[in-house]
Amino acid sequence: MSYFDAASAAPLHPVARQALWAALDDGWADPSRLYREGRRARMLLDAAREAAAEAVGCRVDELTFTSSGTRAVHTGVAGALAGRRRTGRHLIVSAVEHSSVLHSAEVFEAEGGEVTRVPVRRTGAVDVESYAAALRADTALACLQSANHEVGTVQPVAAVAEVCRAAGVPLLVDAAQSLGWGRVEGDWALLTASAHKWGGPSGVGLLVVRKGVRFAVQGASDERESGRAPGFENLPAIVAAAASLRAVRAQAEQEAVRLRELTARIRARVPQLVPDVEVVGDADRRLPGIVTFSCLYVDGETLLHELDREGFSVSSGSSCTSSTLTPSHVLRAMGVLSEGNVRVSLPAGAAEADVDRFLEVLPGVVAGVREKLGAPMPTAAVPQAEEVVVDSLGKRCPIPVIELAKVIGSVPVGGRVRVLSDDEAARLDIPAWCEMRGQEYEGEEKVEKGTAYLVRRIS
């Protein structure tokens, strides 16, 4: 089995496993106690904090261990907003942030705050000018991920941090995907991360709050972790997380070169091997191991199941997965195709032979899924009418797009197709299909049971 979903959770690093077992023997006691076992546990906790702080590039007393990366985000956002309540009740986030950041923003809005969601380019990157324009006198906090979790695009954190700093606004950086590869550059104020993203055990997050940042802990707290993460520390997991972060960093530069070569091979070969594919995300400013592409006329859930049968574990931001009926908010914000979306995220040590086998298997898998769904085949259709209505109400992706593709040849150049659909994914996938196929998307109209999407044939 080839595991290609490291962006969700990286396999446990051997160093993490060794450190975890050792800490289970020596780090079980309460590190706040003064007896021998407690002092031994405190030494392990202090050493782990020093190692993590060195990797982040912060002071030891600025770093808190939390129970997860999500908890670190929730605590960091809430604490920074509360600490700067007198400044105002305005929060800035990008449209492609991790759901933990967006959920924090939704809670803030529900409590009466105002949120500006900065759009992104088609590559998934924000414009620094957009962040600068969003800043206001009452802005309490800005948030920006260091790199996107779905498409791998690296964000201009240092430049955004500079404009935020000039405006006196702290910037919180979600560094979950990038911290294993290196420090986050720039004058950021808060940072969060998650150990299971770099090969540490799950259940350990990092929250860094720079000295001088106004921060007010929300909810009940105790004396542990500066009051920012109440409860008994999971010391063995913390020790393993810090040890594995140091280990992956030692190999990061060399491994990044190797993984970039493998993902570049995937980015180049997939469009050559599989027709009607869009590779998404920035081609250059990206994390080493992530490559994402979307296939027209393919059910994302079925595609993932078929790849699983062939021995490949991959993930998807497609709307057609068992966990959601709406397109990925990242793909939607980018304005790219969501059908048949596949994210390949290679773990450290991924074998070149496995990548080559993936490229061998993929064309047949996609073709098989398309055949089952009745995807259109190239034909010389004779134009029949100036306008054709496609009734796809009650049908889920990618059926509305498949039916559009089948009838576009039945209208003359200049003619129009009206696609009726009540699937939210159509709002993203029909315009994306038009861009890929060289047709004109004219917009949408509300109809009784859904939406009519208007497509004009121009070629």
Side-chain angles (χ1 to χ4, degrees), residues 284-338:
D284 301 312
R285 287 183 53 80
R286 59 185 305 101
L287 291 175
I290 298 180
V291 57
T292 305
F293 56 89
S294 300
C295 307
L296 272 175
Y297 320 130
V298 168
D299 178 332
E301 184 175 5
T302 302
L303 179 57
L304 263 59
H305 284 318
E306 292 300 321
L307 287 171
D308 181 52
R309 290 191 181 95
E310 294 290 341
F312 295 98
S313 301
V314 298
S315 64
S316 174
S318 172
S319 57
C320 300
T321 62
S322 57
S323 61
T324 179
L325 291 177
T326 58
S328 149
H329 71 276
V330 172
L331 301 179
R332 186 169 62 244
M334 293 169 62
V336 298
L337 183 70
S338 73

Side-chain angles (χ1 to χ4, degrees), residues 354-374:
D354 289 342
V355 170
D356 288 339
R357 193 172 72 85
F358 175 78
L359 293 172
E360 291 175 2
V361 166
L362 182 67
V365 170
V366 174
V369 174
R370 285 174 171 168
E371 183 178 2
K372 290 178 183 177
L373 292 172

Side-chain angles (χ1 to χ4, degrees), residues 45-87:
L45 180 60
D46 289 346
R49 198 183 312 276
E50 289 175 6
E54 192 280 331
V56 171
C58 67
R59 290 171 43 151
V60 172
D61 57 355
E62 294 174 334
L63 189 145
T64 297
F65 291 111
T66 67
S67 58
S68 68
T70 295
R71 172 46 56 194
V73 167
H74 291 172
T75 301
V77 171
L81 288 171
R84 286 174 50 82
R85 181 181 292 270
R86 291 184 179 180
T87 298

Side-chain angles (χ1 to χ4, degrees), residues 341-428:
N341 179 261
V342 174
R343 180 187 68 182
V344 175
S345 48
L346 304 177
E352 181 178 0
D354 289 342
V355 170
D356 288 339
R357 193 172 72 85
F358 175 78
L359 293 172
E360 291 175 2
V361 166
L362 182 67
V365 170
V366 174
V369 174
R370 285 174 171 168
E371 183 178 2
K372 290 178 183 177
L373 292 172
M377 299 296 290
T379 59
V382 178
Q384 298 293 327
E386 289 292 332
E387 180 170 293
V388 172
V389 176
V390 173
D391 187 353
S392 291
L393 294 170
K395 300 175 182 178
R396 296 298 173 190
C397 69
I399 301 302
V401 179
I402 289 176
E403 294 183 343
L404 165 62
K406 285 181 175 180
V407 305
I408 191 69
S410 66
V411 300
V413 173
R416 189 164 67 178
V417 178
R418 296 170 59 89
V419 183
L420 308 183
S421 177
D422 54 1
D423 181 12
E424 180 65 24
R427 181 166 284 109
L428 177 63

